[in-house]
Amino acid sequence: MSAKKKTEQSLTAPLSTLLRLPQGPVTMAELDPAAIPGYPGQGKKDAAQRTEALGAELSELQERLFAAGRNDPTSAPSVLVVLQGMDTSGKGGVVRHAMGLVDPQGVALASFKAPTAEERRHHYLWRIRKVLPEAGKIGVFDRSHYEDVLVVRVDQLVPMEVWEKRYDEINRFEQRLVDSGTTLIKCMLNVSFEEQKKRLLARLDDASKYWKYNPSDVDARSKWPAYQEAYAAVLERCNTDAAPWHVIPADRKWYRNWAVAELLRETLAGMNLGWPNADYDVAVERQRVVES
Ligand code: AMP
Ligand code: MG
């Protein structure tokens, strides 16, 4: 057996199955940020190349999705990748290395920062609804509505009675999204406390990374246990059949990027997207072009 065959056979179950968080109580300490479940290759050595290699299939699948959206803008499916994780967990890296593998025309990226004055005047889902992916598109959320039960809970930006109701509300919101034809891929990028420290220091040791550093990152870091508790609540209470959570070990950047690209590939492949039929007579049109 060739080496290539051997490594490809070692992805024994779909990655989505391996990374899908089982429903039930969540203990963050049991989720290993350095694990590499399902990685079929040798490691860092071949990961970038393996991730790149997913590009060809991803591109075709994405084009099928896009074509479906063109063909039927009201009921074609869409995909929404939700990226959550602590600072330095690599949300930006995933956007660049995994989402960057497909045609940017088919991707709609939205990054959620602290809400603006206008956004604060509306319900927290208002800004989310405005940027949901249209039919045929792959939406990518760099942070999301989950911030409204993460930073908002940890920093007590609203009273407990208010954030407490949001878990169920988010589940209903996501269920409606799924019912309307959007497949959600929710990814929690799980970085360790130690690895975060290294990455923050790396940002301060390199002038080309200063822009990535924000003094408030250390404030959030100092509340690590509270964030872990808030993440556990999200992973436990919003891990529905309609929109399950995947926990992506994120201490190894190469694994993280490959894993999200592979999850996207599996999701798109599972949608069994054909090419839309022509809504004109192909033979007639062909003849017209020939004669033109
Ligand atoms: P970054 O993703 O590093 O650009 O940082 C964005 C910042 O916006 C983070 O500190 C988030 O915690 C913050 N943020 C995002 N959404 C919300 C929200 N709904 N309420 C308060 N802060 C938020
Ligand atoms: Mg940041």
Side-chain angles (χ1 to χ4, degrees):
M1 192 191 288
S2 74
K4 188 160 179 263
K5 261 203 174 131
K6 201 168 133 212
T7 51
E8 265 156 22
Q9 277 178 354
S10 57
L11 188 56
T12 46
L15 193 66
S16 52
T17 310
L18 294 173
L19 294 182
R20 186 174 169 166
L21 184 72
Q23 286 175 331
V26 172
T27 309
M28 295 305 288
E30 286 171 7
L31 304 171
D32 180 3
I36 55 166
Y39 186 72
Q42 292 167 291
K44 190 175 182 176
K45 270 205 296 200
D46 59 357
Q49 179 226 324
R50 266 177 190 278
T51 306
E52 286 279 311
L54 292 172
E57 191 182 346
L58 266 177
S59 287
E60 181 179 329
L61 289 166
Q62 182 269 330
E63 195 176 345
R64 285 175 188 260
L65 179 65
F66 192 81
R70 274 293 171 81
N71 192 51
D72 187 355
T74 52
S75 55
S78 60
V79 171
L80 177 59
V81 181
V82 173
L83 301 174
Q84 276 296 157
M86 297 294 286
D87 291 305
T88 77
S89 61
K91 302 177 289 292
V94 165
V95 171
R96 198 161 47 248
H97 297 288
M99 303 305 144
L101 295 169
V102 303
D103 185 345
Q105 293 177 94
V107 176
L109 172 68
S111 302
F112 297 97
K113 310 287 177 194
T116 61
E118 191 193 15
E119 286 168 349
R120 276 201 303 274
R121 280 197 293 275
H122 292 86
H123 188 268
Y124 69 98
L125 292 173
W126 178 75
R127 66 175 184 166
I128 305 291
R129 289 198 174 97
K130 281 206 299 186
V131 293
L132 288 170
E134 299 161 23
K137 289 284 186 71
I138 300 173
V140 182
F141 281 3
D142 172 352
R143 302 187 190 266
S144 65
H145 42 293
Y146 283 103
E147 291 294 327
D148 292 281
V149 282
L150 290 165
V151 63
V152 168
R153 170 176 165 157
V154 170
D155 287 348
Q156 300 173 47
L157 301 179
V158 299
M160 183 179 172
E161 308 86 81
V162 176
W163 58 253
E164 184 58 42
K165 295 195 182 83
R166 290 180 175 173
Y167 300 94
D168 289 341
E169 187 172 40
I170 287 172
N171 288 340
R172 289 193 298 271
F173 168 68
E174 291 182 350
Q175 177 70 60
R176 278 196 299 274
L177 257 181
V178 171
D179 292 343
S180 71
T182 302
T183 300
L184 270 87
I185 310 177
K186 300 195 297 192
C187 299
M188 189 274 182
L189 306 183
N190 189 27
V191 72
S192 68
F193 189 64
E194 300 72 34
E195 181 64 21
Q196 187 192 52
K197 184 172 202 162
K198 283 190 203 150
R199 291 184 187 171
L200 287 174
L201 286 174
R203 289 178 180 185
L204 293 169
D205 290 343
D206 177 349
S208 74
K209 289 184 178 170
Y210 290 170
W211 66 275
K212 290 190 189 184
Y213 183 84
N214 187 330
S216 72
D217 295 348
V218 193
D219 302 330
R221 179 173 169 76
S222 68
K223 300 170 198 158
W224 190 270
Y227 270 103
Q228 294 295 99
E229 199 181 309
Y231 267 104
V234 158
L235 295 174
E236 197 169 308
R237 298 176 69 176
C238 298
N239 192 16
T240 59
D241 290 331
W245 272 108
H246 299 88
V247 177
I248 320 290
D251 273 9
R252 300 173 205 260
K253 296 177 183 175
W254 56 265
Y255 175 80
R256 176 201 71 201
N257 295 339
W258 170 82
V260 178
E262 171 62 17
L263 272 185
L264 180 62
R265 190 198 65 75
E266 284 177 7
T267 303
L268 290 170
M271 291 167 79
N272 298 315
L273 297 155
W275 292 106
N277 293 325
D279 55 4
Y280 48 82
D281 186 323
V282 177
V284 169
E285 292 306 311
R286 192 169 193 291
Q287 195 55 33
R288 287 181 63 214
V289 174
V290 167
E291 285 166 7
S292 64

